[in-house]
Amino acid sequence: MDNVGYLSLTNAAMIGRATDVTANNIANANTDGFRAGRITFEEMVSETGAEGPLDEMSYAIDVGTWSDTAEGALVATGNPFDLALQGGGWFGFQTEEGETAVGRVGQLTKTDDGALVTAGGDSLLGAGGGPVLLPPEATEISIARDGTISTPNGDVIGQVGIFQADEAHTWKRQAGGMLLAPGDAGPLVPAVDGNVLQGFVEKSNVDPIGEMMRLINLQRAYERSMNLADSADQLRSDTLSRLGKPAT
Amino acid sequence: MKALGTAATGMLAQQTNVDVIANNIANANTTGFKAGRAAFQDLIYQSLRREGAATGEGAMRPQAVDIGLGVQAAGVSRLNTQGGLTETGNQLDMAIDGRGYFVITRPDGTNAYTRDGSFTLSAEGEVVTLDGNLVEPAIVVPENTTQIEVSQDGIVQAYVGGEMEPQELGQINLATFINDAGLKPIGNNLFLQTEASGEAILAEPGEEGIGIVRHQYLEASNVDPVKQMTDLITAQRTYEMNSKTMTAADEMLQTTNQIR
């Protein structure tokens, strides 16, 4: 049985997937609120059917992708509808499919019905769990650190929700920088303390140097596993030509 | 391997970003111009393994393998912040200090909206934009006018001939929108109302929440050149990084092709 060929094949396939994850991170290095993705592999041991020390071989297999939830850099923009969270906590969003998600995307625009939406169309949730709806006449708003939305003359018109998401790195990644809770999770839990900054945007948390290093490593590892397949092929070819030579 | 395509989406997105930044820099000196900003979002994720799938009796996979497919430009938003006010001394220059847009009648009779208050007179004495579009409501400046005054609440008065008392010529109204960001830019510093912006609401300058008119001032562009330059550098470097991903993916495929 040609185990070496399969071994290098699974290895190359897994490295291919890891490269896809890195490529996606690099593509989103300039996407505000983006959280870098990571992929984890584990060893899968399988019986080879051979006797002795070679009776088992271990293949690499991907077990899951997760999000790096480290904070991105905060950049002042001065735009009143740009919100960022300093420290922990998540903004809550209602996606266009009606699902509740969390995210750190804070580049918002006001729609004609007064909702605050991201560029992807997900609407920001208030502290009560429903979408924030601003009255039409509220065009100048100020948002306090605890998320309280008020008008210039001091009327409180709502509160931006800050939620906590336990194990958020395992939540399902969605387009638009959203993370969906696993199926059995209940409604979002408000965070104990949160720090909303108005006029700031949180950049992508992708570390360019780290991703480029990873890319180089992956490429070289891919070449190694391909060389392994090549060597195994050479070895077999040599064996066949030597054994196949008639004795003289 | 999707890395090639993913890198391509990254390069395309940064290309859009550079286009937006280039337009901002080109308009760094355009009266009443509002800087644009490209907003990006990550694309959908492809599930290679689903979470919750059974991995054995009573055990299930706690995490999925979701691989993202890149990035897209989700929209270009305008930063509707106040631009700096510059004194010009010109009799028909007006700037809006605060919210609101001047209302302009286009040749086809529809209205457009602008923050650019560098008006002039037509051959008939009407107040028009530099493109000759009428300012709404129409204001006609009589002959022999020596001086024009515009109050902060938009009342236009003229001193005609040797008269000591000014004549009132009209009232400049400002239009506001529920959602300024939804206005559609059509060039020439003009905007059109859309479904997203809502209907124009006319108000007199100086009313609550409405800007005031500053006579003999113009509103400068709100483009911050330093920010645009740093954004340009970031965009270019991100573009380069994506091209490196593309090279790596290409070389990996080449390695595959070389084994026999």
Side-chain angles (χ1 to χ4, degrees):
Chain A
M1 193 58 218
D2 178 24
N3 289 311
V4 180
Y6 289 125
L7 201 63
S8 57
L9 183 67
T10 49
N11 196 21
M14 291 307 116
I15 293 167
R17 283 186 183 178
T19 312
D20 292 342
V21 171
T22 302
N24 187 48
N25 288 344
I26 293 175
N28 285 290
N30 209 2
T31 305
D32 293 337
F34 179 78
R35 301 290 88 147
R38 299 274 180 265
I39 188 162
T40 313
F41 297 102
E42 72 178 16
E43 189 182 26
M44 191 183 82
V45 178
S46 95
E47 305 277 331
T48 60
E51 292 290 319
L54 282 179
D55 62 344
E56 282 180 342
M57 301 221 38
S58 52
Y59 294 99
I61 182 168
D62 48 352
V63 283
T65 46
W66 47 281
S67 310
D68 181 351
T69 53
E71 261 184 84
L74 296 177
V75 174
T77 61
N79 189 6
F81 292 118
D82 282 347
L83 302 182
L85 283 170
Q86 194 179 24
W90 297 85
F91 291 125
F93 292 94
Q94 189 176 50
T95 66
E96 280 179 321
E97 290 80 39
E99 292 165 313
T100 305
V102 298
R104 301 267 295 192
V105 187
Q107 268 187 320
L108 306 168
T109 43
K110 202 173 81 165
T111 63
D112 55 340
D113 54 1
L116 291 175
V117 296
T118 67
D122 306 308
S123 16
L124 184 74
L125 296 184
V132 170
L133 285 176
L134 301 177
E137 64 276 11
T139 44
E140 275 177 66
I141 55 163
S142 60
I143 295 169
R145 288 250 169 173
D146 64 348
T148 307
I149 311 169
S150 55
T151 59
N153 43 24
D155 300 335
V156 174
I157 51 175
Q159 190 175 10
V160 175
I162 309 163
F163 301 97
Q164 66 181 46
D166 296 329
E167 305 281 310
H169 65 282
T170 63
W171 290 24
K172 191 167 174 60
R173 296 165 69 85
Q174 292 277 300
M178 298 291 130
L179 296 175
L180 273 188
D184 52 351
L188 293 176
V189 184
V192 184
D193 54 352
N195 224 342
V196 181
L197 296 177
Q198 190 183 13
F200 282 81
V201 153
E202 184 178 352
K203 307 298 280 183
S204 167
N205 74 345
V206 170
D207 159 28
I209 299 171
E211 297 296 342
M212 291 318 282
M213 294 268 299
R214 204 164 285 134
L215 189 63
I216 294 167
N217 276 335
L218 288 169
Q219 190 186 348
R220 297 303 167 213
Y222 190 85
E223 282 171 16
R224 274 199 302 279
S225 65
M226 284 300 166
N227 283 339
L228 183 65
D230 204 19
S231 312
D233 180 46
Q234 283 289 336
L235 200 64
R236 196 155 10 136
S237 150
D238 284 358
T239 315
L240 286 176
S241 68
R242 282 186 199 170
L243 290 179
K245 219 176 264 178
T248 48
Chain B
M1 212 156 53
K2 305 169 194 67
L4 265 180
T6 307
T9 66
M11 290 173 83
L12 270 174
Q14 294 314 317
Q15 209 168 308
T16 310
N17 200 5
V18 170
D19 289 348
V20 172
I21 295 167
N23 186 47
N24 287 343
I25 295 176
N27 285 294
N29 229 348
T30 303
T31 309
F33 181 78
K34 299 292 169 211
R37 179 177 64 182
F40 300 108
Q41 61 170 137
D42 45 349
L43 286 175
I44 54 164
Y45 285 77
Q46 187 178 6
S47 273
L48 298 182
R49 289 166 186 276
R50 291 297 302 269
E51 73 280 16
T55 54
E57 202 166 327
M60 64 172 190
R61 181 177 297 285
Q63 246 168 298
V65 175
D66 292 327
I67 298 208
L69 300 181
V71 63
Q72 67 173 1
V76 177
S77 55
R78 246 187 335 277
L79 296 179
N80 286 313
T81 55
Q82 176 76 40
L85 298 180
T86 325
E87 191 180 3
T88 60
N90 198 337
Q91 293 247 339
L92 282 167
D93 280 351
M94 296 169 217
I96 303 168
D97 188 356
R99 287 182 60 232
Y101 293 84
F102 294 115
V103 186
I104 305 296
T105 311
R106 297 201 297 157
D108 62 359
T110 56
N111 282 344
Y113 305 90
T114 185
R115 297 273 299 183
D116 175 8
S118 52
F119 301 131
T120 61
L121 289 183
S122 70
E124 286 79 40
E126 295 150 322
V127 178
V128 293
T129 65
L130 291 178
D131 302 317
N133 296 326
L134 283 172
V135 174
E136 171 89 15
I139 291 167
V140 180
V141 178
E143 275 183 75
N144 303 324
T145 298
T146 51
Q147 204 184 338
I148 297 171
E149 288 294 338
V150 184
S151 69
Q152 293 196 346
D153 46 7
I155 296 166
V156 184
Q157 293 176 317
Y159 290 90
V160 182
E163 286 172 41
M164 296 304 288
E165 288 295 313
Q167 281 183 27
E168 191 171 323
L169 301 182
Q171 158 86 51
I172 294 213
N173 286 326
L174 297 182
T176 58
F177 298 89
I178 289 176
N179 176 25
D180 285 15
L183 289 171
K184 180 179 168 58
I186 54 166
N188 295 342
N189 294 342
L190 298 180
F191 295 96
L192 294 183
Q193 73 177 39
T194 63
E195 295 230 333
S197 71
E199 290 281 318
I201 306 157
L202 287 179
E204 288 180 13
E207 281 180 24
E208 195 185 332
I210 313 290
I212 54 171
V213 173
R214 298 272 187 203
H215 185 217
Q216 300 190 345
Y217 278 85
L218 284 179
E219 184 185 4
S221 165
N222 75 344
V223 172
D224 173 359
V226 179
K227 175 151 188 3
Q228 297 302 323
M229 292 316 282
T230 52
D231 284 356
L232 185 61
I233 293 168
T234 318
Q236 189 185 351
R237 294 304 172 202
T238 313
Y239 188 86
E240 268 183 49
M241 265 165 47
N242 279 292
S243 81
K244 289 266 191 280
T245 315
M246 206 177 251
T247 314
D250 174 37
E251 284 172 8
M252 283 161 77
L253 292 175
Q254 194 186 3
T255 314
T256 316
N257 281 343
Q258 277 166 355
I259 64 157
R260 273 182 302 113

